[in-house]
Amino acid sequence: MIVGGIVMLLGGVVAAVNAYIAVAHSVSPFTGAYNWSASGFGTKFANPGTLPTGIGRGVAFSPAATEVVVGHDATPFITAYPWSASGFGTKFANPGTIPTGSGNCVAFSPAGTQIAVAHINSPFTTAYPWSASGFGTKYANPGTVPANDGRGVAFSPAGTEIAVASNQTPFINAYPWSASGFGTKFANPATLPAGTGRGIAFSPAGTEIAIVHTTTPYVTAYPWSGSGFGTKFADPTSAPSNTGFGVAFSPAGTELAVAFGASPYINAYNWSASGFGTKFTNPVTLPTGIGRIVAFSKAGTEIAVGHDTTPFITAYPWSVGGFGTKYANPTTLPTGLCSGVAFS
């Protein structure tokens, strides 16, 4: 049985499963990946044989960690590879119908049978069936498309909804999702986010949704159900102090982290069905620049922040007490601003 990234064997013996961390960044090779363990960053994998064609904006592993996909800012705007313990495989063929602009965020459905990208230019979000053969035929666009550039995209844990953060009011759009693709857009929340949406996430239980944005309080969260958005949660007492770029719930759903544009660049909060709780103490060693993305490991025992100043990625142990002592930087650093990070 696999639990939180480890294999539980009969007789109480525990054996580790391979774990990895991938990044998307602003300078060639535009993406990279590392072995990951309780000690932090391991050896960097060789770059893919065929690189993404432009600045890496987002990255995601498939749920089975058998594929990795990168969103980037030059055609074909999305690039996918097989993934194994040996690293990147031979690039999959581009989708038959490519996204219409820079791929800013990518996401696999929980079943790993669909893939979505949020991008600039109408329809601002594009989705495809996904299989071991790669991209299928593009789904029809949603009936009501986001009003402007898609900046973030996320599937609900049940795979029955998809949400997009965008550049123009209402800044957040959510749709039912099925094997047929996008359903009829849910009604907008009664209280909209205060500014341009940048990143979006569902809680692991699928009972809450959070979005980060460009105007104070920089993070907004709502209850979520099959009926859509509930009444907005109260803002956190200690809100981020600048534009929110990335947001993530811990796998247990008991914490929420935000990457944002001013020191300390990362905030983490206790989270419950009542919403935001007390902010955790800042890490002793802060990220060195604007927080662009944040991710928890699958086990919930680590947290990583991508940012715009060397070493471009910073990671910490994570526990109910908050941030631990920063891990050593990877031996081979990303080559530029890191706006995508994902754990397998």
Side-chain angles (χ1 to χ4, degrees), residues 76-274:
F77 306 115
I78 187 170
T79 298
Y81 308 89
W83 180 263
S84 71
S86 300
F88 296 96
T90 302
K91 176 185 171 291
F92 287 101
N94 296 333
T97 304
I98 64 173
T100 54
S102 176
N104 292 322
C105 183
V106 289
F108 283 94
S109 67
T113 51
Q114 294 101 11
I115 192 168
V117 56
H119 53 83
I120 67 171
N121 300 328
S122 185
F124 307 115
T125 186
T126 298
Y128 308 88
W130 181 262
S131 72
S133 301
F135 296 97
T137 302
K138 175 185 172 292
Y139 288 103
N141 298 333
T144 304
V145 300
N148 206 307
D149 294 350
R151 295 291 180 175
V153 64
F155 287 94
S156 66
T160 50
E161 294 95 9
I162 187 171
V164 182
S166 65
N167 259 15
Q168 190 168 317
T169 186
F171 306 118
I172 187 169
N173 296 270
Y175 308 86
W177 179 263
S178 71
S180 301
F182 296 96
T184 302
K185 179 181 175 291
F186 287 99
N188 297 332
T191 304
L192 299 181
T196 295
R198 294 294 190 185
I200 196 164
F202 286 93
S203 66
T207 49
E208 295 95 12
I209 188 170
I211 180 171
V212 286
H213 44 83
T214 59
T215 306
T216 185
Y218 304 113
V219 60
T220 298
Y222 307 89
W224 179 263
S225 71
S227 301
F229 298 96
T231 302
K232 174 185 171 292
F233 288 106
D235 299 333
T237 302
S238 300
S241 56
N242 205 303
T243 295
F245 289 102
V247 62
F249 287 92
S250 67
T254 51
E255 296 94 10
L256 177 75
V258 178
F260 60 97
S263 183
Y265 308 115
I266 178 76
N267 278 1
Y269 304 90
N270 286 285
W271 181 265
S272 73
S274 300

Side-chain angles (χ1 to χ4, degrees), residues 296-326:
F296 286 94
S297 66
K298 301 302 182 185
T301 50
E302 296 93 10
I303 187 171
V305 185
H307 46 88
D308 69 350
T309 307
T310 188
F312 303 114
I313 187 165
T314 298
Y316 309 88
W318 180 263
S319 72
V320 293
F323 297 96
T325 302
K326 176 186 173 291

